Amino acid sequence: MNRPAAPRDTGVAGEVLAVCVLYAELELPAKVSRVGRTAIDKRPVTGRVAVRAVGLDGDHVCDTTHHGGVHQAVYAYSDEDARGWGERLRRTLAPGWFGENLRLSGLPVSDAVIGERWRIGDTVLEVSAPRVPCATFGHWSGERQWVKRFTLQADTGAYLRVLTEGTIGAGDPVRVDHIPAHGITVRDLFTGADPDRLAHLLTSEPTVSDDVRMQVARHTRRAAGRAASSAARGTRSGTAATAPDNGGPR
């Protein structure tokens, strides 16, 4: 689903409903993960939690090849999107179910602009990328075709960089301090609906991660492949339509 993002202004835009960190590592079958373990099971904690450059105190990732690092230090998910999924799945998806560190209310997380900056308490975070669903997430969900369904819905939530370390607690307001003029959202980057526009992101936001650059390149390749296939079909159709008379019976 590729919904256009509504125009937004800076200022107080939402609230932290829960801060979630690792509850317990879980074992994974080999067909799901080569690492064999996951830290996706996150639960809310009380009090204020320190936010460091590579994540929250008390939290970590197991698959460091595909997750974590400064560009994926914190993961946020919208409570409104979580409740929408809960209605579709007919189950309650408590804070942490999506593997998120921050469950936020009142903020269109999946439609935040790449490079958007949020001030929460004394911490400053920057929107860096969409969450790309993986087999581990599918296994954890227990839902059939979960990765496909999550991908089609495109309510991905957002990864965040930590620009200023600090602390965050449930009940903190979320203030949007800066929204980049390019307007390319987390959802735009995930769906790749307009690859030409996405290319502008690489020049507008020079600090984007290598993963984001690879996502843009992948969308560009796919768009070029679709265009080439469409042109080939048009050529074949035109050739058939203008084929010369072979002198057959009339």
Side-chain angles (χ1 to χ4, degrees):
M1 182 180 296
N2 186 23
R3 301 192 299 256
R8 295 166 51 230
D9 296 319
T10 56
V12 175
E15 179 184 357
V16 178
L17 294 185
V19 181
C20 307
V21 299
L22 176 67
Y23 178 74
E25 287 190 3
L26 304 176
E27 294 186 2
L28 292 172
K31 65 179 182 180
V32 173
S33 170
R34 293 181 181 178
V35 176
R37 300 187 70 78
T38 177
I40 197 172
D41 185 3
K42 303 187 192 302
R43 310 282 178 94
V45 292
T46 59
R48 303 197 66 75
V49 179
V51 183
R52 313 294 184 188
V54 293
L56 276 61
D57 276 5
D59 193 46
H60 67 261
V61 300
C62 294
D63 184 357
T64 56
T65 300
H66 301 102
H67 302 288
V70 295
H71 295 287
Q72 297 182 7
V74 179
Y75 177 49
Y77 204 76
S78 159
D79 189 59
E80 289 76 10
D81 287 344
R83 285 191 280 111
W85 276 118
E87 291 172 3
R88 287 186 286 274
L89 301 177
R90 299 183 180 181
R91 56 189 288 196
T92 299
L93 305 178
W97 188 87
F98 292 85
E100 77 272 26
N101 299 115
L102 303 178
R103 177 68 68 89
L104 305 180
S105 176
L107 195 67
V109 177
S110 299
D111 291 301
V113 174
I114 299 294
E116 188 170 313
R117 294 174 190 165
W118 302 343
R119 185 177 299 274
I120 308 176
D122 52 355
T123 305
V124 179
L125 306 171
E126 183 178 79
V127 176
S128 57
R131 187 252 194 87
V132 177
C134 60
T136 295
F137 190 27
H139 180 79
W140 158 259
S141 76
E143 297 288 341
R144 291 177 61 83
Q145 297 187 315
W146 175 246
V147 170
K148 180 179 179 180
R149 295 167 70 183
F150 189 85
T151 297
L152 290 174
Q153 184 67 23
D155 291 334
T156 65
Y159 281 123
L160 308 165
R161 274 190 292 266
V162 179
L163 299 185
T164 302
E165 295 182 345
T167 63
I168 293 178
D172 282 353
V174 181
R175 178 184 176 86
V176 178
D177 279 356
H178 170 69
I179 301 176
H182 61 73
I184 298 168
T185 67
V186 171
R187 190 184 305 276
D188 293 334
L189 178 56
F190 182 74
T191 63
D194 189 346
D196 291 338
R197 184 162 165 261
L198 287 184
H200 179 58
L201 178 66
L202 304 184
T203 56
S204 299
E205 293 290 336
T207 61
V208 296
S209 67
D210 289 341
D211 282 346
V212 167
R213 293 179 183 277
M214 287 190 292
Q215 286 183 58
V216 173
R218 184 166 58 250
H219 288 315
T220 301
R221 288 195 303 271
R222 288 175 178 170
R226 289 193 296 268
S229 296
S230 178
R233 287 195 298 271
T235 299
R236 289 194 297 270
S237 176
T239 300
T242 59
D245 188 346
N246 63 5
R250 297 179 184 274

